[in-house]
Amino acid sequence: MAETAKKAFVTGHPVAHSRSPKIHGYWLATYGIDGSYQAIDVAPENFAEFVKTLETNGYRGGNVTIPHKEAAFALVTRRDDAAVEVGAVNTLWFEGGALWGGNTDAHGFAANLDEHAPGWAGNGPAVVLGAGGASRAVIHALIERGVGDIRIVNRTLARAEELRNRFGAGVSAHGTAATGELLADAGLLVNTTALGMHGNEGLSADPARLPDHAIVTDIVYVPLETPLLAAAKARGLKTVDGLGMLLHQAVPGFERWFGIKPQVTAELRRMIVADLGARE
């Protein structure tokens, strides 16, 4: 490949499981771009040096995943509003001579619901299960879209209270014992925990307690239909799986590095679903 080719990456530790190279590789081929996107495993102790040499090594930027998101936040020169609100960086790019850090998880979450459940933001109070990094991105997205009543439920109440204090008005913190009551008038239930990956044990939210108009979404995408989504579907509720969040969060970075805003298509989704099936 010519040295003028545009280069981007995803880095994490480990990173071999990442679907990002398939997503960006699909778009590079679709739009006929002379570029590359590769997975690079970088241990935490080497991450700062890796970031420092990005421009020298010809990279236009890249994605950052676990465990480097907070380290990336500290290392960049400038941050977008989403990164500041979430407290983590998952996308790097050069602009105006500076290394910028952004967070596209909130964008991905909202765009996924826009595609599969139009009008979701006006559906009523939101209950968010979990108080980790993914929860921060979801709460930021909900606030950005004008959801005025956001209820965080977490096994450790103190962590939910930290997020309530971080985001302020309209956000409340609750222990799991309050979940049933909180669901009674909720229009959106979001699972941001990993609990649903292997069964419903530990998930305190029963979709049967939700009103008929409620939407249930899970940011987990392995398995594609989590037990929570299966239970919500059996209840007759609208469900949205987590794969679209992964696909849509990739869009802003690709546009910054390669100059074209890519489309999340049915073909791309089918390709990643097939890959998930192969890996499972």
Side-chain angles (χ1 to χ4, degrees):
M1 186 174 286
E3 290 186 1
T4 55
K6 301 171 182 177
K7 292 167 56 180
F9 62 87
V10 58
T11 185
H13 185 69
V15 77
H17 64 283
S18 175
R19 271 82 185 187
S20 293
K22 284 189 174 294
I23 296 168
H24 291 280
Y26 169 87
W27 284 331
L28 287 169
T30 297
Y31 298 106
I33 295 170
D34 183 13
S36 66
Y37 182 101
Q38 64 182 128
I40 305 174
D41 194 313
V42 178
E45 61 269 23
N46 299 324
F47 182 68
E49 180 65 21
F50 173 77
V51 170
K52 192 166 77 173
T53 58
L54 286 179
E55 198 166 21
T56 305
N57 289 328
Y59 289 105
R60 292 181 169 232
N63 288 124
V64 178
T65 189
I66 296 171
H68 301 318
K69 292 184 177 185
E70 285 75 22
F73 182 89
L75 288 169
V76 296
T77 308
R78 305 287 299 275
R79 305 172 187 90
D80 70 9
D81 290 342
V84 171
E85 289 298 319
V86 175
V89 159
N90 75 343
T91 305
L92 302 171
W93 71 94
F94 291 98
E95 182 181 333
L99 178 62
W100 278 74
N103 191 297
T104 64
D105 287 333
H107 167 84
F109 173 79
N112 185 33
L113 286 175
D114 287 343
E115 180 181 357
H116 297 289
W120 61 272
N123 215 39
V127 174
V128 179
L129 305 178
S135 178
R136 297 202 302 267
V138 166
I139 294 164
H140 176 63
L142 295 173
I143 292 171
E144 287 277 290
R145 291 303 186 91
V147 178
D149 183 350
I150 302 166
R151 306 159 182 180
I152 308 168
V153 175
N154 198 58
R155 287 180 298 179
T156 305
L157 179 59
R159 293 198 67 187
E161 290 173 337
E162 286 175 17
L163 292 192
R164 177 197 64 197
N165 296 338
R166 180 187 188 96
F167 288 100
V171 180
S172 56
H174 310 270
T176 53
T179 311
E181 181 183 347
L182 296 170
L183 293 177
D185 65 340
L188 179 66
L189 172 61
V190 187
N191 178 40
T192 73
T193 75
L195 292 171
M197 293 176 72
H198 307 294
N200 257 354
E201 302 83 5
L203 269 184
S204 59
D206 181 359
R209 294 178 176 269
L210 287 163
D212 292 343
H213 69 276
I215 300 164
V216 179
T217 185
D218 200 322
I219 69 165
V220 168
Y221 57 89
V222 179
L224 204 54
E225 183 174 86
T226 63
L228 176 66
L229 295 184
K233 190 175 291 183
R235 159 79 169 75
L237 300 176
K238 175 69 178 175
T239 63
V240 181
D241 66 52
L243 180 56
M245 179 175 172
L246 173 72
L247 301 177
H248 283 285
Q249 66 81 29
V251 169
F254 188 93
E255 183 176 13
R256 290 190 183 280
W257 311 317
F258 301 114
I260 290 175
K261 183 177 182 178
Q263 297 299 307
V264 173
T265 61
E267 182 184 37
L268 172 61
R269 181 181 169 89
R270 283 193 299 270
M271 184 187 77
I272 300 301
V273 167
D275 181 62
L276 293 174
R279 295 196 186 200
E280 287 175 341

